[in-house]
């Protein structure tokens, strides 16, 4: 006759069964704790949460077991990849463009590895950066450096790609439908549940579901799971329009200007707002270049390097190029009936730079916005502008006429926009690959 | 796991904000037992109860509340022939309460709340369920908790929204810049950072979302479990569907625009009262440079109204809104409309001109809009200046 299981054994089995209700293991005597650990392993119930419970007891035996068995806390699985499949977007329709303003991309690339490694990457090195780039192995990528940029656009033109504007070169040479672009000081963020945010999947979801710019939905994005159009939303507007641009947000170091950050040096953005919403038509906003994605086929030429501050520097606080470009994009989208979304995905933006020393450089940009905003709010494009290139050319014209005389910076920007359209038409149609 | 809730669980705020400046307006046709449950939150405030339906019925108000109650006879007596603009047998009658209030701020809420004291643990929420009903059916409204576990005092959040500026001229990507932990982002012009006064605060609903009848029929099981921790200003020039379930506004700034239209008994349409008020309000706010916020606070809405009943009330509205919305989107108010009343009269004129052809109802509605303003001005005369002359 088999010996019936002892009381301790039954208790341990019951404990393993009820692991989800247990919040503290420290009262357990060591030998029971170890036995429980082994049984948990044997029954396959060791999850990250349970592992943390055991680790929290602080018992050496537990640690040595963990080490001996080489148990590792795995990176939380990136869940939305299956959603990406169901949207029938092929990986080869996407390019991830990274502007490298710092030479060592090792930790950046490694943090993003689980999300980026499926896709083709275009890394564009800031032509002003002297050091060699350090990029870890295991990615499918093309790297473009100053000589490559010179070769493609000519040495005189390559200056437009200095600093943060180097990413535009990546947009120019890409041949993919969707582009996702993140600053090199941003890492994947975690959502309110502690799950790693797949920024790529969220951007793609934003770009491939309709936008609703003509009427505001109070439950935000009606196409997201668990939401819909609210009572009072006209049915004729419920099919929405194509989304051309997806603007993400930032946890930790938000995209504040230098004066704000200098005033509140300790302020960090910890509020994860679980929403995507369409920016209404004719509403303008500051579109940050730190975390964006767009449909290159539809809106490519409108993202452009053109406004360069006199004292532009290598910190976001010291630039306005993306804000200017964003105004153009929004005006063009509004004119062409395309949508712009804002909200998720979040990225985690690392602390970098000193706001106070940047104050001097960005002040110029801050002053400019007083002119720039009313100007763009008043721009109206003609009926004949039916393509993105035409729209950009028209905006450039209006910039030259109305703003050119106020500040030479605007006149230069207008010219740069016109040149960009030409460049897009010529380079955009030929193939290119980085030199040896 | 059900637990009877105690008063401490629904802890009243230590300081009742604006208690001498805010009225709570409640339309009712049944009884006011729900007030017992909201006592910790509502007792400091003055209530205006608008009793719809049979005026011979006595509605008992729980002890200890400071209130005025108006039934249909009172409405007729006070407004005389102008009483025709106040809807009968529809919660739209609540706007009478806005008219007679003497306070600066209004919070409006539906009737029939019972405190069941349910405490369950949802995904992120630990709501205490309070049963509330509107005129058609019982609606449960919870005093919800935010994801950190703090009980949400919806009224307090509305007051915060109303007391801080709005930013309708330029969109801030980090939403309300006046909230703790947020600010204006890079590129936001400094000249626009002062903002404008906030006229209305539009809260949202967890669990049963405010869907129209067709959507309710297609998705009867859909629940809104997403707590979006944001308040944002609805940009100028953008219209939105304003739901009256969880709404607060500055009566001094926008009161006359909060007319909830002709609904209910004898009218061809229902469930568009708040929509109509919202479109008028937004157009006028945009014209006068006032702000409207949406987002927090959330209330917990637990029982949906009958979608078939709703469909019968709404279906005309569903067709008509295709005309109404372009009308409001294109409405332009002349520069000399410098007060809410003037804007509203002008809107009424345009409604008569442009929407009467959609249905004769709009002709009646336009007249009622004018009657409303006349009644409003009668009950809210601008006082004489100190030397005795009229303003």
């Amino acid at each position: 006759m088999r010996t019936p299981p002892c009381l301790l054994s039954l208790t341990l089995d019951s404990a393993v069964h009820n692991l989800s209700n247990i919040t503290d293991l420290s009262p357990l005597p060591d030998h029971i704790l170890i036995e429980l650990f082994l049984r948990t392993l044997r029954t396959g119930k060791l999850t990250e949460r349970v592992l943390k419970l055991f680790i929290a007891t602080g018992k050496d035996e537990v640690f040595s077991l963990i080490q001996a068995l080489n148990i590792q806390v795995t990176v939380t699985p990136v869940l939305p990849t299956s959603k990406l499949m169901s949207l029938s977007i092929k990986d080869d329709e996407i390019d991830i463009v990274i502007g490298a303003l710092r030479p060592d991309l090792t930790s950046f690339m490694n943090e993003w590895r689980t999300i980026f490694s499926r896709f083709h990457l275009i890394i564009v090195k800031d032509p002003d950066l002297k050091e060699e780039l350090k990029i870890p192995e295991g990615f499918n990528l093309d790297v473009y450096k100053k000589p490559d940029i010179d070769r493609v656009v000519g040495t005189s033109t390559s200056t437009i790609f200095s600093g943060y504007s180097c990413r535009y070169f990546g947009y120019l040479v890409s041949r993919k439908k969707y582009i996702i672009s993140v600053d090199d000081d941003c890492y994947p963020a975690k959502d309110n549940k502690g799950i790693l945010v797949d920024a790529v999947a969220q951007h793609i979801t934003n770009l491939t579901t309709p936008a609703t710019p003509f009427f505001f939905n109070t439950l935000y994005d009606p196409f997201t799971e668990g939401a819909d159009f609210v009572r009072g939303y006209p049915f004729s507007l419920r099919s929405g329009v194509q989304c051309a641009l997806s603007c993400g947000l930032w946890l930790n170091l938000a995209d504040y200007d230098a004066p704000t950050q200098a005033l509140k040096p300790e302020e960090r953005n910890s509020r994860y707002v679980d929403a995507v919403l369409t920016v209404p038509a004719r509403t303008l906003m500051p579109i940050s270049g730190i975390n964006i994605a767009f449909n290159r086929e539809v809106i490519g030429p409108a993202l452009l390097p053109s406004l360069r501050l006199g004292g532009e520097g290598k910190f976001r606080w010291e630039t306005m190029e993306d804000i200017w470009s964003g105004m153009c994009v929004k005006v063009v989208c509004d004119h062409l009936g395309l949508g712009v979304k804002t909200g998720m995905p979040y990225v985690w933006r690392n602390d970098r730079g000193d706001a106070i020393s940047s104050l001097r450089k960005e002040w110029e940009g801050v002053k400019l916005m007083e002119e720039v905003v009313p100007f763009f709010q008043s721009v109206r494009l003609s009926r004949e502008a039916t393509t993105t290139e035409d729209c950009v050319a028209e905006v450039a014209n209006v910039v030259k006429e109305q703003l050119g005389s106020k500040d030479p910076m605007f006149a230069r920007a207008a010219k740069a926009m016109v040149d960009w359209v030409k460049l897009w038409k010529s380079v955009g149609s030929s193939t290119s690959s980085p030199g040896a | 796991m059900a637990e009877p809730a105690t008063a401490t669980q629904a802890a009243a705020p230590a300081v009742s904000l604006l208690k001498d400046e805010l009225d709570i307006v409640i339309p009712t046709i049944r009884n006011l037992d729900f007030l017992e449950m909201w006592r910790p939150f509502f007792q400091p405030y003055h209530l205006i109860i608008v009793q719809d339906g049979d005026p011979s019925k006595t509605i008992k108000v729980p002890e200890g509340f400071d209130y005025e109650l108006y039934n249909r006879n009172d409405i007729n007596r006070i407004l005389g022939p102008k009483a025709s603009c106040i809807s009968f047998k529809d919660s739209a009658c609540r706007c009478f309460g806005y008219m007679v209030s003497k306070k600066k701020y209004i919070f409006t809420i539906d009737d029939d709340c019972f405190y069941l004291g349910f405490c369950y643990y949802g995904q992120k929420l630990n709501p205490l369920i309070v049963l509330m009903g509107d005129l058609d059916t019982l609606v449960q409204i919870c005093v919800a908790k935010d994801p950190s576990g703090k009980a949400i005092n919806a009224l307090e959040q509305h007051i915060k929204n109303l007391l801080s500026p709005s930013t309708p001229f330029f969109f801030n990507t980090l939403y309300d810049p006046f909230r703790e932990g947020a600010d204006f982002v890079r590129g936001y012009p400094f000249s626009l950072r002062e903002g404008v006064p906030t006229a209305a605060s539009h809260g949202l609903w967890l669990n049963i979302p405010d869907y129209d009848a067709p959507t309710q029929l297609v998705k009867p099981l859909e629940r809104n479990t997403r707590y979006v921790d944001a308040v944002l200003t609805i940009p100028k020039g953008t219209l939105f569907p304003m739901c009256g379930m969880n709404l607060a506004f500055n009566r001094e700034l926008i009161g006359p625009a909060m007319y909830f239209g002709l609904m209910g008994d004898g009218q061809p349409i229902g469930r568009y009262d708040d929509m109509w008020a919202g479109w008028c309000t937004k157009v006028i706010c945009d014209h006068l440079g006032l702000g409207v916020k949406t987002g927090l606070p959330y209330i917990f809405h637990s029982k949906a109204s009958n979608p078939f009943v709703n469909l019968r009330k709404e279906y005309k509205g569903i067709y008509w809104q295709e005309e109404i919305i372009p009308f409001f989107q294109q409405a332009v108010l002349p520069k000399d409309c410098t007060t809410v009343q003037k804007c509203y009269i002008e809107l009424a004129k345009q409604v008569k001109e442009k929407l009467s052809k959609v249905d004769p109802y709009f002709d009646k509605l336009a007249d009622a809009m004018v009657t409303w303003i006349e009644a409003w001005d009668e009950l809210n005369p601008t006082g004489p200046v100190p030397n005795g002359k009229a303003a």
Side-chain angles (χ1 to χ4, degrees):
Chain A
M1 187 178 101
R2 256 180 71 230
T3 331
C6 69
L7 196 57
L8 178 61
S9 180
L10 289 170
T11 311
L12 284 169
D13 283 342
S14 177
V16 171
H17 227 70
N18 289 296
L19 272 172
S20 49
N21 292 332
I22 298 175
T23 51
D24 184 14
L25 289 169
S26 34
L28 289 182
D30 293 3
H31 64 292
I32 296 184
L33 187 70
I34 302 303
E35 187 54 48
L36 181 63
F37 189 67
L38 292 172
R39 280 204 200 199
T40 310
L41 273 172
R42 247 179 266 141
T43 49
K45 291 206 181 230
L46 190 71
T47 66
E48 193 180 327
R49 185 193 86 90
V50 172
L51 182 65
K52 285 196 176 131
L53 276 180
F54 280 103
I55 292 175
T57 62
K59 297 279 163 57
D60 290 331
E61 292 90 333
V62 173
F63 289 133
S64 48
L65 258 180
I66 290 175
Q67 226 182 351
L69 296 170
N70 200 19
I71 298 172
Q72 288 169 11
V73 178
T74 53
V75 170
T76 330
V78 179
L79 298 177
T81 42
S82 58
K83 260 198 229 165
L84 198 56
M85 299 301 211
S86 72
L87 290 172
S88 60
I89 299 297
K90 296 194 214 63
D91 294 355
D92 61 10
E93 287 184 278
I94 299 170
D95 257 342
I96 300 184
V97 174
I98 308 291
L101 272 76
R102 299 174 308 158
D104 189 354
L105 294 178
T106 318
S107 65
F108 171 81
M109 300 290 287
N110 280 332
E111 292 287 330
W112 283 103
R113 189 182 288 274
T114 49
I115 296 171
F116 281 1
S117 53
R118 291 167 57 178
F119 304 102
H120 175 250
L121 284 95
I122 294 180
I123 299 188
V124 185
K125 182 178 165 196
D126 175 7
D128 301 333
L129 191 62
K130 298 283 174 272
E131 299 105 290
E132 281 300 308
L133 283 184
K134 266 204 221 116
I135 301 173
E137 296 283 318
F139 291 92
N140 168 19
L141 46 72
D142 285 310
V143 183
Y144 294 86
K145 305 179 198 151
K146 187 169 188 315
D148 306 305
I149 302 176
D150 288 342
R151 189 175 40 84
V152 173
V153 302
T155 41
S156 52
T157 314
S158 64
T159 50
I160 65 172
F161 297 115
S162 122
Y164 279 103
S165 298
C166 61
R167 61 198 172 100
Y168 294 107
F169 183 79
Y171 306 164
L172 184 67
V173 299
S174 163
R175 291 291 170 266
K176 302 289 170 61
K177 183 170 182 185
Y178 300 105
I179 291 193
I180 297 173
S181 193
V182 170
D183 274 5
D184 65 359
D185 57 1
C186 294
Y187 289 173
K190 286 200 174 141
D191 68 14
N192 281 331
K193 298 195 192 110
I195 297 181
L196 209 68
V197 171
D198 184 342
V200 174
Q202 182 65 55
H203 272 307
I204 295 297
T205 303
N206 293 350
L207 290 172
T208 51
T209 50
T212 51
F214 304 120
F215 203 71
F216 190 86
N217 192 45
T218 46
L219 280 186
Y220 313 109
D221 185 358
F223 297 100
T224 200
E225 208 181 293
D228 211 308
F229 292 96
V230 295
R231 174 174 59 100
Y233 203 104
F235 277 77
S236 61
L237 294 178
R238 293 193 187 196
S239 36
V241 298
Q242 188 176 26
C243 180
L245 184 70
S246 165
C247 309
L249 294 174
W250 341 269
L251 287 173
N252 195 46
L253 199 69
D255 190 14
Y256 291 145
D257 53 39
T260 308
Q261 195 74 60
L263 216 81
K264 299 175 165 188
E266 300 307 314
E267 178 133 306
R268 296 292 178 270
N269 185 24
S270 53
R271 184 175 287 127
Y272 185 94
V273 178
D274 186 2
V276 177
L277 58 133
T278 300
V279 184
R282 301 265 305 273
T283 296
L284 293 180
M285 63 192 245
I287 293 183
S288 164
I290 296 175
N291 172 15
I292 57 165
F294 59 99
N295 184 325
R296 185 187 177 278
E297 279 177 15
V298 157
I299 204 72
L303 279 101
L304 35 70
S306 66
L307 187 82
R308 185 173 290 278
L309 293 181
E312 186 174 284
K314 306 296 185 188
F315 293 102
R316 273 291 180 199
W317 290 314
E318 297 165 351
T319 70
M320 276 291 167
E321 55 86 9
D322 50 350
I323 307 294
W324 174 270
S325 168
M327 295 277 172
C328 298
V329 175
K330 185 62 167 60
V331 165
V332 172
C333 283
D334 286 347
H335 179 77
L336 295 176
L338 299 167
V340 173
K341 290 186 185 177
T342 184
M344 301 191 294
Y346 279 84
V347 295
W348 180 274
R349 189 159 171 252
N350 277 327
D351 291 352
R352 200 160 87 84
D354 173 22
I356 295 180
S357 53
S358 296
L359 262 178
R360 226 175 0 106
K361 291 186 183 173
E362 208 217 349
W363 187 240
E364 199 186 2
V366 163
K367 263 199 312 172
L368 275 185
M369 289 309 290
E370 301 298 332
E371 299 274 5
V372 169
V373 170
F375 165 73
F376 276 105
Q377 282 174 332
S378 67
V379 168
R380 298 284 177 270
L381 300 175
S382 72
R383 275 228 171 116
E384 289 74 44
T386 50
T387 66
T388 308
E389 287 92 334
D390 288 346
C391 291
V392 175
E394 257 187 44
V395 175
N397 223 10
V398 189
V399 169
K400 192 170 96 171
E401 282 169 19
Q402 293 184 11
L403 290 180
S405 47
K406 296 196 180 172
D407 192 313
M409 202 180 310
F410 292 127
R412 284 194 293 271
K415 180 167 186 312
M417 289 169 77
V418 171
D419 292 343
W420 176 259
V421 173
K422 289 195 197 122
L423 193 60
W424 189 275
K425 285 184 179 158
S426 67
V427 175
S429 54
S430 60
T431 56
S432 68
S433 55
Chain B
M1 189 182 82
E3 264 175 39
T6 58
T8 47
Q9 273 178 308
V15 173
S16 297
L17 296 167
L18 297 183
K19 69 175 171 65
D20 297 322
E21 293 179 81
L22 183 141
D23 272 342
I24 301 180
V25 172
I26 306 163
T28 181
I29 199 164
R30 273 177 283 245
N31 61 60
L32 292 166
D33 296 346
F34 84 111
L35 278 180
E36 205 52 65
M37 306 309 143
W38 285 94
R39 191 183 284 276
F41 292 99
F42 287 0
Q43 189 151 358
Y45 298 93
H46 179 68
L47 309 178
I48 295 183
I49 299 162
V50 183
Q51 178 187 338
D52 200 4
D54 182 2
S56 62
K57 179 173 164 197
T58 313
I59 298 236
K60 191 174 171 301
V61 183
E63 289 287 318
F65 282 100
D66 170 31
Y67 71 96
E68 307 159 48
L69 188 146
Y70 299 92
N71 63 23
R72 198 74 214 175
N73 292 340
D74 298 316
I75 296 174
N76 289 336
R77 181 177 42 84
I78 293 172
L79 294 184
K82 297 197 183 77
S84 59
C85 74
I86 303 294
S87 302
F88 189 61
K89 287 273 193 69
D90 191 284
S91 63
C93 66
R94 71 178 82 216
C95 58
F96 179 77
Y98 307 160
M99 195 193 278
V100 299
S101 165
K102 298 281 168 281
K103 301 283 172 54
K104 184 168 179 182
Y105 300 98
I106 298 273
F107 175 49
T108 185
I109 197 167
D110 287 355
D111 74 345
D112 282 9
C113 281
F114 316 135
Y115 193 52
L116 270 193
F118 246 133
C119 202
Y120 79 80
Y121 296 94
Q123 213 176 16
K124 302 171 195 174
L125 323 160
N126 303 322
L128 304 170
I129 299 183
V130 177
L131 263 183
M132 273 178 65
D134 65 13
L135 291 174
D136 298 298
T137 182
L138 278 174
V139 163
Q140 282 174 313
I141 293 194
C142 280
V143 176
K145 280 190 187 169
D146 68 19
S148 74
K150 227 172 66 171
I152 302 173
N153 180 345
L155 188 49
E156 190 178 316
Q157 181 66 52
H158 275 302
I159 291 173
K160 278 193 191 150
N161 292 349
L162 289 173
L163 292 181
S164 62
S166 296
T167 51
F169 304 121
F170 202 60
F171 189 85
N172 192 44
T173 44
L174 278 186
Y175 313 111
D176 187 349
F178 299 102
R179 275 188 88 194
E180 205 184 292
D183 212 310
F184 291 96
V185 295
R186 177 174 56 104
Y188 205 103
F190 275 78
S191 59
L192 292 180
R193 294 193 187 198
E194 215 177 275
V196 297
T198 304
S201 166
H202 178 262
L204 296 175
W205 349 270
L206 288 165
N207 200 46
I208 306 285
D210 187 27
Y211 288 160
D212 52 43
T215 312
Q216 271 181 294
L217 286 165
V218 166
K219 293 178 162 189
L221 298 177
E222 181 143 285
R223 298 292 176 264
N224 184 24
T225 54
R226 184 174 284 117
Y227 181 94
V228 179
D229 188 1
V231 179
L232 58 131
T233 301
I234 301 187
K236 178 176 172 174
T238 301
L239 291 179
F240 76 112
M242 183 179 88
C243 173
M245 231 195 296
N246 178 15
L247 179 71
F249 58 94
N250 183 326
R251 192 181 164 280
E252 277 179 16
L253 283 182
I254 201 64
M258 286 287 181
Y259 174 50
F260 274 45
L262 290 172
M263 306 275 150
D265 232 33
Q267 306 298 343
I269 187 176
R271 279 171 60 88
Y272 270 84
D273 50 345
D274 42 6
M275 295 294 136
W276 185 262
W279 296 324
C280 294
T281 295
K282 188 61 166 58
V283 167
I284 295 176
C285 281
D286 286 350
H287 177 80
L288 295 177
L290 300 170
V292 174
K293 291 185 180 176
T294 184
L296 302 182
Y298 279 87
I299 56 170
F300 194 96
H301 185 191
S302 241
K303 195 152 191 288
S305 41
N306 184 318
F308 296 101
V309 172
N310 289 345
L311 188 56
R312 244 184 322 119
K313 290 184 183 173
E314 282 175 13
Y315 80 93
K316 283 215 166 123
I318 289 175
Y319 285 107
W320 289 349
Q321 71 192 5
E322 298 297 332
E323 311 276 346
I324 297 174
I325 296 214
F327 163 75
F328 279 107
Q329 280 173 333
Q330 291 153 23
V332 175
L333 298 173
K335 276 208 167 73
D336 60 358
C337 289
T338 49
T339 66
V340 179
Q341 288 93 321
K342 287 196 188 132
C343 291
Y344 205 76
I345 299 285
E346 175 63 31
L347 259 185
K349 220 170 65 175
Q350 294 184 17
V351 168
K352 203 183 250 275
E353 280 169 27
K354 303 201 179 129
L355 289 179
S356 294
K357 60 183 191 308
V358 175
D359 192 281
Y361 165 77
F362 290 101
D363 205 46
K364 266 201 310 177
L365 181 59
D367 290 336
M369 287 168 75
V370 175
T371 308
W372 160 263
I373 294 294
E374 288 170 1
W376 182 283
D377 281 343
E378 216 176 271
L379 291 184
N380 298 282
T382 44
V385 294
N387 67 2
K389 290 205 186 107

